[in-house]
Amino acid sequence: MSRSDKDRRRNAKEIGDITAQLSDSKFVNGFGSMGGEEFFSYLNISDGLRRSGGEEWRKWNSKIKTDLLKLQNDDGTWVGHHCITGHVAVTSAAVLTLLAERQPMAPSLQQRSAGG
């Protein structure tokens, strides 16, 4: 919904509605049942918020990193408990989410993210 400034303006209401739900732990935590798809959602949310930058990105990034570390297995992996359950796929999504702030972005996105 937000690959460009034009898209962000056109979808501002929907983006705002979704962003507002990020403070709802039931929305973020899969309504009590952590499947692997939640981990892929975290990755997608991190990617989108990072592109937008600002306070919502900073709050999300800090919280999701803390939450992901609590979900890590003793052997260092992550796993979903339904649907997508594989250690490799879920661990990959978790690691990419933890490293989202380190992924390269196009120059125009770097300026927007740094400036808020």
Side-chain angles (χ1 to χ4, degrees):
M1 286 192 336
S2 64
R3 289 285 181 191
S4 69
D5 288 334
K6 181 180 176 184
D7 289 341
R8 276 186 277 288
R9 285 189 301 274
R10 186 177 61 233
N11 297 314
K13 181 192 178 313
E14 292 82 2
I15 293 168
D17 291 346
I18 292 168
T19 302
Q21 292 181 349
L22 296 179
S23 61
D24 180 351
S25 62
K26 287 183 180 179
F27 176 79
V28 175
N29 293 330
F31 297 90
S33 181
M34 289 298 294
E37 57 274 18
E38 276 76 24
F39 290 87
F40 287 97
S41 293
Y42 301 154
L43 177 57
N44 287 329
I45 292 167
S46 292
D47 179 59
L49 287 176
R50 180 167 176 253
R51 290 171 186 271
S52 299
E55 185 60 24
E56 290 297 333
W57 158 244
R58 286 186 284 281
K59 287 188 327 190
W60 166 263
N61 191 44
S62 177
K63 182 168 179 5
I64 196 61
K65 288 193 292 189
T66 299
D67 291 350
L68 281 175
L69 293 177
K70 291 177 186 175
L71 295 170
Q72 190 173 24
N73 297 318
D74 290 340
D75 66 357
T77 65
W78 285 265
V79 65
H81 298 285
H82 63 81
C83 297
I84 303 170
T85 59
H87 284 111
V88 173
V90 177
T91 298
S92 297
V95 169
L96 288 170
T97 300
L98 290 169
L99 297 173
E101 65 193 349
R102 297 181 182 185
Q103 297 300 314
M105 286 193 300
S108 62
L109 294 175
Q110 289 172 349
Q111 292 168 351
R112 186 179 316 113
S113 182

